């Protein structure tokens, strides 16, 4: 077995190499079960992100077919691809949102991601409330319904972003209930709810994160100019 593997941290998105001796621990629970999977092994793993600014802990589990040592008639390991696999931490594949995004908005987003498979209906309800929260917070557009608020964005935001937000109206049940209160639960499937989450991620990036990064770049230029000016005033540079 190789002593290292390539890995992307789900928290900081750094692509890295995990050395099993330092940032990894794994264990197997073998069971000669009478279940339909027969002899199985559950492999649980801890992975620690080596990025010094992150150092997050990731916990994974995989269910495998167990292998048998025929001489001793006992299970001795696992083989092949996992029958099932889970990431136990982080709980979902949600993107990590920066602290400057309002708490209510990021909580709705995380919750929508967490329950996407379990309950697409509840996930979409939270995602719609999150979208409304973003439109109200970032653009100051507050009207009666989400539908009206989306219309209110036209002309304020770039055409392709508006088209992608507007396109969710064309998704069957989301579109059909756009006029209703965001807390109304609508019956949709996981794929449809997943599109709403993708849209939220694009908007976090395009609105909050891009603006924050731009402000930061401009602040840097202002700080550099001010430093240069004070050096000049002190006569340290001509
Ligand atoms: Zn990381």
């Amino acid at each position: 077995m190789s002593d290292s593997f390539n890995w992307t941290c789900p928290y900081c998105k750094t692509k890295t190499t995990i050395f099993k001796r330092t940032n990894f621990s794994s264990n197997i629970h073998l069971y000669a079960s009478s279940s339909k999977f027969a002899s199985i092994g559950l492999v649980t793993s801890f992975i620690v992100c080596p990025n010094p600014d992150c150092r997050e802990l990731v916990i994974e589990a995989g269910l495998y077919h167990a292998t048998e040592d025929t001489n001793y008639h006992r299970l001795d390991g696992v083989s092949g691809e996992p029958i099932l696999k889970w990431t136990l931490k982080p709980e979902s594949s949600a993107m990590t949102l920066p602290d400057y995004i309002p708490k209510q908005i990021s909580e709705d987003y995380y919750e929508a991601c967490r329950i996407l498979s379990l309950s697409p209906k509840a996930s979409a309800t939270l995602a719609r409330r999150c979208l409304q929260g973003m439109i109200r917070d970032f653009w100051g557009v507050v009207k009666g319904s989400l539908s009206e608020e989306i219309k209110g964005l036209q002309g304020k935001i770039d055409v392709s972003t508006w088209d992608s937000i507007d396109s969710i109206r064309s998704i069957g049940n989301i579109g059909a209930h756009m006029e209703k209160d965001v807390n109304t639960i609508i019956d949709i499937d996981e794929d449809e709810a997943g599109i709403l989450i993708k849209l939220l991620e694009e908007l976090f990036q395009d609105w909050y994160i891009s603006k924050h990064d731009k402000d930061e770049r401009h602040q840097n230029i202002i700080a550099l100019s001010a430093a240069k000016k004070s050096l000049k005033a002190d006569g340290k540079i001509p």
Side-chain angles (χ1 to χ4, degrees), residues 158-175:
D158 67 273
V159 176
S160 71
T161 309
W162 196 82
D163 284 346
S164 73
I165 298 175
D166 195 48
S167 73
I168 59 167
R169 295 165 195 262
S170 62
I171 301 174
N173 268 335
I174 300 176

Side-chain angles (χ1 to χ4, degrees), residues 26-45 60-67 75 77-88:
S26 187
N27 223 322
I28 309 180
H29 176 183
L30 295 168
Y31 179 37
S33 85
S34 56
S35 79
K36 65 178 181 180
F37 299 117
S39 296
I40 45 178
L42 182 72
V43 179
T44 49
S45 309
E60 293 179 349
L63 182 70
Y64 294 79
H65 289 294
T67 52
L75 302 177
V78 294
S79 70
E81 292 295 310
I83 307 165
L84 291 165
K85 58 195 262 190
W86 306 266
T87 300
L88 304 176

Side-chain angles (χ1 to χ4, degrees), residues 7-14 16 48-58:
W7 183 75
T8 303
C9 175
Y11 290 94
C12 66
K13 312 292 179 210
T14 302
T16 182
V48 173
C49 178
N51 172 6
D53 295 328
C54 176
R55 301 174 59 79
E56 267 293 350
L57 174 67
V58 173

Side-chain angles (χ1 to χ4, degrees), residues 130-215:
C130 182
L131 176 61
Q132 182 169 59
M134 289 165 89
I135 294 172
R136 289 180 171 186
D137 173 66
F138 195 85
W139 295 99
V141 175
V142 182
K143 301 192 182 207
S145 68
L146 178 57
S147 180
E148 285 302 313
E149 285 158 4
I150 289 175
K151 278 185 208 151
L153 286 179
Q154 197 171 16
K156 283 182 187 273
I157 61 175
D158 67 273
V159 176
S160 71
T161 309
W162 196 82
D163 284 346
S164 73
I165 298 175
D166 195 48
S167 73
I168 59 167
R169 295 165 195 262
S170 62
I171 301 174
N173 268 335
I174 300 176
H177 295 83
M178 216 62 182
E179 308 293 333
K180 293 198 177 152
D181 183 87
V182 285
N183 293 314
T184 308
I185 293 176
I186 48 176
D187 197 13
I188 64 167
D189 65 28
E190 188 177 340
D191 285 349
E192 292 174 331
I195 295 172
L196 268 177
I197 287 183
K198 275 270 156 294
L199 173 69
L200 295 179
E201 290 170 351
E202 286 299 316
L203 298 179
F204 283 130
Q205 190 62 49
D206 286 359
W207 295 352
Y208 290 92
I209 298 171
S210 292
K211 179 178 182 297
H212 183 265
D213 290 353
K214 193 167 119 186
D215 288 351

